[in-house]
Amino acid sequence: MSETDLEGTGLNLAVNRHGNLTSASNDQDLTNVLHQIKSSKSPAVINYGSTWCRVCNQILPAFCQLSNNFPKLSFIYADIDECPETTQHIRYTPTFHFYRDGERVDEMLGAGEERLHDRLWLHS
């Protein structure tokens, strides 16, 4: 399996075979992503994390791998240090926000691959 760098994470991760995984590398990217989620009304999950967060770095490879299992969901990674203006409401990393029909419908704080899988299944 080939690998790719998820921009801003410093990690080599398995390539997403569905192309439904992106990263927001600055505030404008994240603003565009949020606007796209609201206008497209397709289900999405945003993983708010940071490079200095040990738990974030532990769950990120699973987040990327799970994107292959849920091709109808858009997966977005946003580093809070790269998007300081649009993530100032995030108080804990990792935080996952789940969107359906353009609206945020759920939030998960912390990690846990099984917990994340169950939430993704629920919202896909």
Side-chain angles (χ1 to χ4, degrees), residues 71-82:
K72 293 179 181 174
L73 271 170
S74 294
F75 285 70
I76 300 98
Y77 175 78
D79 188 301
I80 62 168
D81 294 322
E82 294 178 5

Side-chain angles (χ1 to χ4, degrees), residues 23-31 48-49 76-90:
S23 66
S25 58
N26 57 49
D27 284 308
Q28 187 60 53
D29 280 354
L30 186 54
T31 299
Y48 295 98
I76 300 98
Y77 175 78
D79 188 301
I80 62 168
D81 294 322
E82 294 178 5
C83 309
E85 296 299 317
T86 47
T87 62
Q88 57 187 329
H89 62 285
I90 301 297

Side-chain angles (χ1 to χ4, degrees), residues 7-77:
E7 195 173 323
T9 64
L11 297 174
N12 280 337
L13 302 166
V15 171
N16 181 329
R17 294 186 298 266
H18 299 290
N20 61 335
L21 175 64
T22 59
S23 66
S25 58
N26 57 49
D27 284 308
Q28 187 60 53
D29 280 354
L30 186 54
T31 299
N32 292 343
V33 164
L34 291 167
H35 179 28
Q36 182 179 0
I37 288 170
K38 289 180 189 297
S39 63
S40 74
K41 299 192 184 271
S42 61
V45 57
I46 300 178
N47 174 358
Y48 295 98
S50 62
T51 54
W52 48 263
C53 171
R54 181 183 53 81
V55 177
C56 298
N57 290 326
Q58 289 173 339
I59 194 67
L60 187 59
F63 180 75
C64 296
Q65 200 59 34
L66 285 166
S67 71
N68 292 314
N69 300 342
F70 298 94
K72 293 179 181 174
L73 271 170
S74 294
F75 285 70
I76 300 98
Y77 175 78

